[in-house]
Amino acid sequence: MKNIDSKNHVTGKSVYVDDIPVQTGTLYGAIFGSPKAHGKILKLDFSDALAMEGVEYIFTHKDIPGENQIGGIIKDEPLFAENEVHFMGQPIAFVVAQTEKIAQNAAKKINIEIEDWEVITDPREAQQKGQLLFPPRTFKMGDIDNTWKDCDYIFEGKVENGGQEHVYIETQGSYAYPMDNGSIKIHSSTQGATVVQKIAARILDIKMHRIEVDVARLGGAFGGKEDQATAYACMAALASFHLQKPIKISLPRHDDMMMTGKRHPYSSDFKIGLSKDYKILAFQATMYQNGGAASDLSPAILERTLFHSTNTYFIPNTKVTVYSCKTNLPPNTAFRGFGGPQGMFLIESAIAKAACELNISKQIIQEKNFLQENDLFQYGQVAKNVNVKKSFETADKIYHLKKIEQEINAFNAQHQNYKKGMAIMPICFGISFTKTPMNQARALVHIYQDGSVGISTGAVEMGQGVNTKMIQVAAKIFSINSNRIKIESTNTTRVANTSPTAASSGADLNGNALRIACNGLLERLKQTAAKMLSCKSKDISIQDETIFQKDKKTYILWEQLIETAFLNRVSLTENGHYATPVIYFDKSKEKGHPFAYHVYGTAFITVTLDCIRGTYEFDDVKIVHDFGNSMNTIIDNGQVEGAVVQGIGWMAMEELSYAKNGKLLSNSLSTYKIPDIYSVPKNIEINPLKTEGPEVAILRSKAIGEPPLMYGIGAYFAIADAIKAFNSNYKIDFNAPFTPEKVLMRLYQK
Ligand code: LUZ
Ligand code: MOS
């Protein structure tokens, strides 16, 4: 099935928050953010701003009837700064005016004096000064301390990875307006309708049932709207609550880049021990996560770093500790992979370091240590249906690793100033929210009298195609044409208590809830048909909108069945609830079975370096990916392609740069380089691994959103490999992103 949105997206008809037709009297908001990264507010003067024609009101923390607190996991983030500021751009006030332009100009007229406090942007410095957002956590297995003496080789190293700006095409925004009886309706560009509802209720000190959050779709999110859409929704709601007017806020790109958190940079130390035959016996690491000024989702992101810090490898003795360090940057947040990529870059770096020192191919160590069936993850889950070796071997069979290597060697022998390099990037990603209670979902299905169907779930469409998948689920269960089915917006009055659409689990969780609801309806419809045919309902089935009795076609068609059911007063509405079975996690032991299943795959990445300029082009990304039984190969391949490019962007191009005073220098798309059409790999080839797919995956189609991003990590090692071909003095180091500047330095490093 084609993505139901593609036509409307391409023709510009899809409605986003900023496209909602506004009501008469709508006012517009702009945020006054802190001009300093750390300090005490000495003076705040709104008089010039308020004197401007068209300015209605300026909101601060003093206008909040409830708690000035938007922290989700830990309550450590005010909606508006009170006496202190902790990052540049931190919201201090919300200016409301008759037009967007006036609001933005008025925000510039606010006078503020701030006493300068020390600015920390480096996570190690923060940790040394005792600035942690919350206590560190450690995952371990085996006996690391007594293993080092058994190792034939031990290597140590340091790994740095940068952050990443989400660059969703639609910036953060919200439109809120008053409804009857002191209620408020909020349209928000959020992945988490219920998060917005809950926090807005806290801010306004009203009950959740007075807040209706509606989400039609997002113009991209990538994790950036799992938590961080909430602040803007709350500001619009607060102003609407006080002024009893509709309020709209839509962040200008600059504000969005400056004010919102990003993927977490990490700085890490590792130690890896191997036997003579290259088995990894021990792996130890300490990681410093740059959390920014408040916790946001960092506790959960830190956890996923730990879960993925051994990637696709079985290592019998491990100990990994992560510190979440408080710095004067915007609170860093969810970003596709959610801490997993940082853990996986670390272990791949440790392996690359060992390979470099031993002067062998990284592949030898990778292959020797691949996770196998029934191996134990360091968090206590037994690995089942492992497809690490299988995906690697399939990729080798399809793409011929030896041939790729021979071609690279031949090219490198012939070319002086161009060198090619390649890397193998295997992935293993756990599917489920690591916080077990979040793994639940609901769906609501109506069948109307004319046989058309309306479905609502908690899933948010953000370009990933989840709405199309939901329609596929319902169409398949009812065996009706998909054009009979409409998917409604995500709305807290139709589906309550939603988990954010995140963790790659939107289709699994909501699809399963939908499956349960549809099956409930189907059962009743079969009973109706059985009555019409005077037979048993177990003999009834629906095939292509026709009712069958055993294998015999009957005279009853879908529309007639629905009409009869209605006349017989059968309920044509059903609600489904789903909770992922089996999963649990015991934080006191840091052991459990947190994931419903894992997604596996392997990518071969090749790159060509221009050794005069330090620039590069990715030639091929050749992938064997474990989709399970993909329910939509167009959408799923699209997710893989997008994820690979986004992963390569993180590893090779996108560089966040901050001044010492905490100012984001790379604050626009002219200074922050995201992959464009010229920098995507010339060839991305995707082949599915033939697997059955787990039962808990919706229609046995595995979660797809995040896992393939990690193929992009191979970009770093492919570049390093090419540098080595040019400069044999080069000793691999780990400082991502591998920008052309860094590449050039290493090409000529002595
Ligand atoms: N969000 C979350 C996520 O709250 N918990 C998770 O485990 C997760 N994993 C990936 C992406 N978002
Ligand atoms: Mo996410 S990183 O699945 O919001």
Side-chain angles (χ1 to χ4, degrees), residues 16-38:
Y16 300 86
V17 167
D18 205 23
D19 304 315
I20 298 170
V22 294
Q23 303 174 20
T24 314
T26 292
L27 300 173
Y28 298 83
I31 296 163
F32 173 64
S34 173
K36 297 220 166 146
H38 200 197

Side-chain angles (χ1 to χ4, degrees), residues 226 297 304 338 432-434 438 502-503 706:
E226 182 174 340
L297 292 164
R304 198 174 269 279
F338 205 70
S432 290
F433 286 98
T434 59
M438 292 174 81
E706 296 170 290

Side-chain angles (χ1 to χ4, degrees), residues 568-604:
N568 287 328
R569 299 185 293 173
V570 172
S571 166
L572 293 174
T573 288
E574 185 65 305
N575 173 33
H577 171 85
Y578 176 74
T580 312
V582 185
I583 53 173
Y584 72 94
F585 195 69
D586 180 352
K587 268 194 189 177
S588 68
K589 300 194 179 75
E590 302 286 26
K591 300 279 177 195
H593 187 110
F595 298 120
Y597 58 90
H598 291 80
V599 172
Y600 302 96
T602 298
F604 300 156

Side-chain angles (χ1 to χ4, degrees), residues 341-353:
Q342 292 92 325
M344 288 157 71
F345 181 52
L346 175 73
I347 182 67
E348 293 298 328
S349 295
I351 291 171
K353 173 78 179 174

